[in-house]
Amino acid sequence: MTPAVQPGVQADPRSVEGHEAEARFLALKKRDPNTVSEQELLRTAIDCDTVARELRREGGEANLANALSWDQNSRILRGGKETWVNMWAIYRARDVTSEAAARYNAFLKKDARTVSEEELLRTATDCDTIAQNQRLEGGEQNLAWAATWDQAARNLRAGKEAYVKQIAAQAANSEMLQIMQAQDRARAQQNNAQALRNVSTMNYVTRMNIVSNLGNSGYHCEVRSR
């Protein structure tokens, strides 16, 4: 039976079966991987297949890309318990990374002059965690990002005075960039306006010369640059 939908509320195109399958996978991820059985892994792999199928049914570029991730989850679960235990560590690291990144982004939104040394150190630890987890996952891009997070941790551990100066310099650079971009736009507008004036002048001179030639006048107009 199809669930009732309130007027004016858009129905979620994914079926109840798809949502329940996704919920079972997420519940499995929260469990100690050493306690799950091979049968549970296979049942959850089928759930992943269900979610992937629903995403493809919904269609759209983002859903199709997401379906590939669920295909990958299914293959991992069918790889057996050892494979799942190893991959679970990466799944967990990704969750921890997301939580640490959220705290870092929230910290950046605060006025640099109001943060404490303790907050700087805690956020530096979050940066260390993210860098460590990205190295755990591996891959050229993750390793490059890990180095960036290492640098962020060093900047935070330099202390409040250095952090305030760094934020001020970043703000100044951003302001200078905006000024330069505004100047570039103004110059482009001036150049476009001058080009239009040149075209208008050339058209006028051409018309005057045509009139002069038709009237057998001895006058000839030219455009002289200054």
Side-chain angles (χ1 to χ4, degrees):
M1 180 177 179
T2 303
V5 178
Q6 296 179 359
V9 178
Q10 185 177 2
D12 187 339
R14 192 176 310 174
S15 69
V16 173
E17 181 186 11
H19 283 295
E20 291 176 347
E22 181 177 357
R24 285 191 292 270
F25 173 77
L26 295 177
L28 182 73
K29 281 178 61 179
K30 294 178 180 179
R31 292 177 53 186
D32 182 341
N34 295 295
T35 65
V36 300
S37 66
E38 295 284 351
Q39 290 74 21
E40 287 177 297
L41 291 174
L42 290 175
R43 284 198 300 268
T44 313
I46 295 173
D47 284 332
C48 293
D49 295 337
T50 299
V51 177
R53 183 176 63 252
E54 288 293 309
L55 288 167
R56 290 189 172 94
R57 183 180 63 82
E58 292 172 31
E61 186 176 351
N63 283 333
L64 294 178
N66 197 10
L68 294 177
S69 297
W70 284 96
D71 289 337
Q72 179 65 23
N73 291 336
S74 177
R75 286 192 291 271
I76 291 169
L77 290 164
R78 286 187 167 89
K81 187 165 181 176
E82 183 178 358
T83 299
W84 173 246
V85 169
N86 293 334
M87 192 62 201
W88 184 88
I90 294 178
Y91 281 139
R92 180 54 189 156
R94 288 175 181 172
D95 291 340
V96 171
T97 294
S98 296
E99 294 163 2
R103 289 192 295 270
Y104 177 80
N105 289 330
F107 173 82
L108 289 182
K109 293 178 182 178
K110 300 180 66 173
D111 186 335
R113 295 166 297 182
T114 67
V115 301
S116 66
E117 295 286 351
E118 291 76 14
E119 287 177 296
L120 288 168
L121 291 177
R122 283 199 302 269
T123 310
T125 301
D126 280 332
C127 294
D128 293 336
T129 298
I130 297 171
Q132 178 182 351
N133 289 342
Q134 288 185 321
R135 289 191 175 92
L136 173 65
E137 191 154 351
E140 184 177 354
Q141 184 62 74
N142 282 329
L143 294 178
W145 283 336
T148 301
W149 285 103
D150 286 337
Q151 183 59 55
R154 287 193 291 272
N155 292 341
L156 293 168
R157 286 193 170 92
K160 183 171 179 176
E161 183 178 356
Y163 177 68
V164 170
K165 289 181 179 178
Q166 177 196 355
I167 295 300
Q170 289 175 349
N173 289 338
S174 177
E175 182 178 356
M176 180 57 67
L177 178 60
Q178 292 175 359
I179 292 173
M180 293 172 63
Q181 290 172 340
Q183 291 174 342
D184 288 340
R185 287 193 296 270
R187 279 193 293 269
Q189 291 173 352
Q190 290 173 352
N191 292 338
N192 290 337
Q194 183 61 52
L196 290 174
R197 287 194 294 269
N198 290 343
V199 170
S200 178
T201 301
M202 290 300 297
N203 288 339
Y204 173 77
V205 169
T206 300
R207 289 196 300 270
M208 291 299 293
N209 285 332
I210 291 173
V211 172
S212 177
N213 290 336
L214 291 175
N216 293 321
S217 170
Y219 292 103
H220 178 73
C221 296
E222 293 183 355
V223 178
R224 296 181 181 275
S225 60
R226 291 183 295 174

